[in-house]
Amino acid sequence: MLQAGYEVVLFVDKREKSHDTIIASLLAEKVKCELRTLAVGDFLWVARPSAATATSTRPIGSPGTADDSIFILDCIAERKTIADLVSSVLDGRYKEQKSRLASLPIPHCFYIVEAEYMAVNPFMQVHCPSMNIESVKTAMVST
């Protein structure tokens, strides 16, 4: 239960490629959100005092973060296009990122993969035919 005087805000990582479009879409749906530098993940839900302003320049979640009144909630997400997911599985970044997410004391860590599940096969056949399609499908559903 959220205490009186707090609001839930979605922090979107500043380094997210299409953050302007994402923020605009979220604000159009009346989702309270703002750009921040996140140490891990692309989207992080927090609770903070309603009158809070963005005063810290340190990445949220990093040691010594000055945002003492901000409480990290139980959900974090990493966003991937299908091309980035395939690339990260091939070069090993996927395992490293998954490990960093799994090490957090946040119970709900997940990937948002921008692709239809059924579109993976045609993409793979064109862009990396020698790669095991099951590796990518597993990565899409088992984070």
Side-chain angles (χ1 to χ4, degrees):
M1 172 89 45
L2 196 61
Q3 286 185 328
Y6 277 79
E7 63 184 358
V8 173
V9 180
L10 177 61
F11 286 172
V12 178
D13 191 19
K14 287 181 180 180
R15 297 164 295 193
E16 182 59 29
K17 290 178 184 171
S18 55
H19 62 72
D20 291 336
T21 304
I22 292 168
I23 291 284
S25 296
L26 291 167
L27 291 173
E29 296 296 325
K30 308 288 189 246
V31 174
K32 291 182 182 181
C33 57
E34 66 183 55
L35 286 174
R36 290 287 185 106
T37 302
L38 302 179
V40 178
D42 294 319
F43 304 96
L44 177 67
W45 284 262
V46 302
R48 69 171 182 202
S50 298
T53 57
T55 58
S56 176
T57 57
R58 289 186 177 180
I60 298 298
S62 65
T65 299
D67 294 309
D68 293 333
S69 61
I70 293 176
F71 297 96
I72 295 173
L73 299 180
D74 63 351
C75 192
I76 188 169
E78 177 78 24
R79 177 179 167 263
K80 297 269 187 212
T81 64
I82 188 62
D84 191 33
L85 179 64
V86 169
S87 174
S88 66
V89 168
L90 284 171
D91 67 17
R93 287 180 296 126
Y94 172 77
K95 285 185 179 178
E96 183 270 329
Q97 289 173 335
K98 185 175 176 178
S99 174
R100 284 191 301 139
L101 285 172
S103 71
L104 296 173
I106 299 175
H108 305 290
C109 302
F110 60 93
Y111 279 84
I112 299 170
V113 180
E114 291 187 7
E116 291 184 29
Y117 188 76
M118 297 307 292
V120 174
N121 283 340
F123 178 88
M124 297 290 294
Q125 289 171 356
V126 171
H127 297 285
C128 44
S130 63
M131 185 177 178
N132 180 354
I133 187 68
E134 294 309 313
S135 299
V136 175
K137 287 184 176 181
T138 300
M140 288 178 72
V141 297
S142 69
T143 298

